[in-house]
């Protein structure tokens, strides 16, 4: 079964689109080598070629804040230029425990005796 890049991005983090390649292209940076050079010159961050390539070609599952700040400094952009948030129906589905906080039905589970806290695990 083959899948396309947008499908993989949707699976990595629903509701978040990684736009580093587009943001870089809008600023005349077309290759990972150019981006790596900019990161070293403007932000003082020395990433490996493989790390820059991965950031440039795939949606990361996580990004260090220091790396995000360095990318923004090197490309002279804001985090919102690199990460675009979009509402996703699946991501907005309420969790049952949170529904109780919002005035919905109580969270499932056995009732606890009133006025007593549960004991920590042994």
């Amino acid at each position: 079964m083959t899948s396309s890049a947008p499908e993989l991005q949707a699976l990595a983090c629903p509701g978040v689109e990684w736009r580093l390649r587009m943001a870089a292209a809008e600023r005349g940076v077309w290759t990972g080598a150019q981006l790596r050079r900019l990161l070293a010159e403007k932000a003082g961050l020395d990433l490996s070629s493989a790390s820059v390539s991965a950031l440039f070609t795939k949606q990361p599952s996580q990004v260090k804040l220091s790396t995000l700040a360095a990318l923004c400094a090197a490309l002279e952009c804001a985090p919102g230029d690199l990460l675009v948030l979009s509402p996703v129906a699946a991501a907005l589905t309420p969790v049952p425990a949170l529904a109780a906080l919002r005035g919905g039905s109580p969270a499932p589970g056995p009732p606890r005796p009133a006025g007593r806290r549960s004991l920590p695990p042994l």
Side-chain angles (χ1 to χ4, degrees), residues 37-57:
R37 195 173 315 113
L38 272 177
L39 284 167
E41 291 171 2
K42 291 189 174 184
L45 181 65
D46 185 27
L47 288 178
S48 68
S49 296
S51 294
V52 172
S53 176
L55 285 171
F56 214 56
T57 59

